[in-house]
Amino acid sequence: MAVVIVVGVQWGDEGKGKIVDLLTEKARLVVRWAGGANAGHTLVVDGKKYVTRLIPSGVLREGVTCVLGEGMVIDPAVLVDEIRTFKAQGFIAAGRDLVVAERAHLTLPHHLEIDRLREERPGGIGTTKKGIGPSYESKAARVGVRVGDLLRPDRFRARVEALTTALAPYIRELGGSAPSVAEVTKKYLALGEELRPFVGDASRIVHDAVVRRDNVLFEGAQGVMLDIDHGTYPFVTSSSTTAGGACAGLGIGPTKIDRVLGVAKGYATRVGAGPFPTELNEEVGELLRKRGNEFGSVTGRPRRCGWMDVAAVRLAIRLSGIEAIALTKLDVMAGLDRVRLCVGYRLGGKTLDEMPVDLDDLAAAEPIFEELPGWPELAGSSIPPAAAGFVERVSALTGIPVWATSWGAGRLQTIVTQDPFSAS
Ligand code: GDP
């Protein structure tokens, strides 16, 4: 298996958690490289549901070390809560089960307050209000506070003071008030003590595992279409969601990566504002939302539903060098008479094979749809012929193999047709 990156190829919520959990059977390390507590996964194992916020999906496997990489922004209150919850359920039993990068940045109350205040104003982009964007802003402005600072009380206090000085005028301008330095210091140093056994040099730990030829799985958060550089800006997340982001986020050279896999849903969803040309605003959209339980795992917000946009998937495949994909939630589409795929766009007399990312172009572009027959529920272990036709069509249109299809949230509700590590 070696070193594998898994990314969502749409707008997040593709069911990466389930697919990564399946793949972690063979992994020693499961690593997250970007984002923060805005990227929950839902895992269903033996009928029991587990929700992760910051910790990668490998948490349920014995012998797997979960790594929160340097490129992430970490809310210590959320992480401590998550660690306590998983510990109480018998996971994260040993210190080596979890590594938190000492150079990752912190999400502090200042960032939560800014995110909340901005989203309450007109023009909010529909963030998860978990403080992620503002945390990355502080990082880029060089006023951020890092995980390692939590373990050095004097330095932490000084960094929180500097952060507060930098952000207080802006928070006041937004109509709020900056958190108290004394209160933040007291509360977060206590959280830091709980995190101390896990804090380390994540980059070196991952590097050493790669050199040992351990199986290492990089788990993407959100989806490639939400990438800060390559997505539909400004309706994007604040970090790199492409496979290349994994190298930057962990400080691992691209030459060390063996394989890049993608996860796509058989339809598409998007949370928050932003263009979504294949959106279904009628009955079928409502049906997919209900049957697919398309409500944010972090915020509970209803997700917008639409047909699968193969032109967007193609773009994601190119941006991340994806070599094979898993298609999830085909059970949710079962029972539809006909299903559709957006296979390209028409814009200004031209046909585009990739989704345009410029907002004006995207608004003006007309999706080109192809219609295929729908399929019934899965009976037994073989894919209904019409669903197999859909899968083949997706594979032909994207130019890469579909190595697995998913027919439910459980580990066993998966049909693997190819070894993802040999598919090409
Ligand atoms: P992620 O962030 O990409 O991991 O996606 P989420 O976990 O937020 O959302 C995926 C949801 O779909 C979770 O509740 C999964 O348990 C569920 N899920 C994953 N694969 C399937 C599938 O094939 N069918 C159904 N019905 N649910 C699935």
Side-chain angles (χ1 to χ4, degrees):
M1 168 172 161
V3 184
V4 178
I5 299 176
V6 180
V7 289
V9 306
Q10 293 157 315
W11 286 269
D13 312 314
E14 295 92 348
K16 291 177 296 295
K18 169 183 165 163
I19 299 298
V20 170
D21 171 67
L22 277 179
L23 295 171
T24 52
E25 198 182 351
K26 294 179 182 165
R28 255 302 285 125
L29 256 71
V30 182
V31 184
R32 260 193 70 181
W33 71 81
N38 55 343
H41 291 308
T42 312
L43 309 169
V44 181
V45 178
D46 297 334
K48 195 164 181 243
K49 193 167 144 180
Y50 302 88
V51 176
T52 67
R53 296 270 170 267
L54 286 155
I55 300 177
S57 311
V59 65
L60 304 183
R61 301 273 192 188
E62 220 184 303
V64 168
T65 300
C66 287
V67 180
L68 274 59
E70 281 80 358
M72 289 184 70
V73 290
I74 292 168
D75 183 332
V78 175
L79 181 55
V80 164
D81 189 48
E82 208 177 340
I83 291 172
R84 286 181 190 160
T85 305
F86 278 110
K87 265 190 169 167
Q89 299 177 98
F91 304 102
I92 317 182
R96 63 168 167 71
D97 289 346
L98 180 70
V99 176
V100 183
E102 59 198 349
R103 291 189 295 282
H105 277 250
L106 296 178
T107 295
L108 291 173
H110 311 63
H111 304 120
L112 293 166
E113 184 68 350
I114 290 173
D115 206 356
R116 182 183 68 80
L117 290 165
R118 284 204 299 227
E119 283 299 315
E120 281 171 9
R121 300 181 138 204
I125 63 163
T127 75
T128 53
K129 298 191 202 162
K130 301 292 172 196
I132 310 304
S135 308
Y136 278 112
E137 288 165 30
S138 293
K139 168 178 168 172
R142 273 72 122 209
V143 292
V145 187
R146 306 201 286 182
V147 169
D149 298 331
L150 277 176
L151 309 184
R152 299 172 179 85
D154 289 344
R155 191 161 101 188
F156 183 71
R157 193 171 297 106
R159 298 293 305 166
V160 172
E161 249 164 34
L163 179 75
T164 308
T165 304
L167 295 182
Y170 180 52
I171 296 175
R172 277 197 297 276
E173 199 183 301
L174 291 172
S177 53
S180 136
V181 172
E183 277 171 30
V184 170
T185 305
K186 186 162 174 255
K187 177 177 170 189
Y188 283 78
L189 285 178
L191 293 169
E193 282 314 308
E194 275 199 58
L195 294 180
R196 189 181 285 276
F198 306 107
V199 176
D201 185 342
S203 177
R204 180 65 201 248
I205 289 166
V206 173
H207 169 86
D208 290 351
V210 169
V211 170
R212 280 197 307 270
R213 297 305 289 162
D214 279 351
N215 292 332
V216 178
L217 197 65
F218 287 85
E219 169 190 296
Q222 289 96 27
V224 172
M225 300 320 299
L226 292 175
D227 184 83
I228 183 137
D229 295 307
H230 303 287
T232 49
Y233 193 87
F235 301 103
V236 292
T237 195
S238 23
S239 58
S240 284
T241 58
T242 56
C247 296
L250 258 295
I252 295 292
T255 48
K256 302 281 186 262
I257 307 299
D258 296 305
R259 200 126 194 99
V260 181
L261 301 175
V263 183
K265 255 192 289 225
Y267 51 97
T269 58
R270 181 164 192 163
V271 209
F276 187 15
T278 66
E279 185 163 12
L280 281 158
N281 287 315
E282 21 78 354
E283 241 174 88
V284 179
E286 194 49 42
L287 185 131
L288 293 173
R289 181 158 38 248
K290 280 214 184 95
R291 293 189 57 182
N293 192 24
E294 297 296 354
F295 298 89
S297 53
V298 175
T299 60
R301 285 184 296 178
R303 296 174 184 149
R304 299 155 68 194
C305 295
W307 295 119
M308 183 181 201
D309 189 338
V310 176
V313 172
R314 258 190 215 119
L315 173 61
I317 289 172
R318 173 170 68 79
L319 292 170
S320 276
I322 295 164
E323 297 161 292
I325 50 172
L327 271 186
T328 64
K329 293 200 151 183
L330 297 187
D331 56 312
V332 174
M333 300 168 82
L336 294 176
D337 239 15
R338 313 281 298 165
V339 297
R340 297 177 109 194
L341 288 169
C342 166
V343 298
Y345 283 88
R346 257 187 289 273
L347 179 67
K350 282 194 185 140
T351 302
L352 310 178
D353 61 349
E354 288 181 355
M355 187 191 84
V357 283
D358 178 87
L359 289 187
D360 290 342
D361 286 349
L362 194 47
E366 188 198 333
I368 304 166
F369 285 105
E370 198 174 286
E371 207 167 75
L372 287 93
W375 51 85
E377 306 275 349
L378 186 71
S381 59
S382 63
I383 303 178
F390 177 84
V391 171
E392 268 166 36
R393 194 68 193 124
V394 170
S395 176
L397 288 164
T398 55
I400 60 171
V402 174
W403 64 270
T405 52
S406 173
W407 293 84
R411 265 184 194 161
L412 299 177
Q413 291 166 300
T414 321
I415 299 178
V416 177
T417 41
Q418 272 194 52
D419 175 356
F421 306 112
S422 66
S424 61

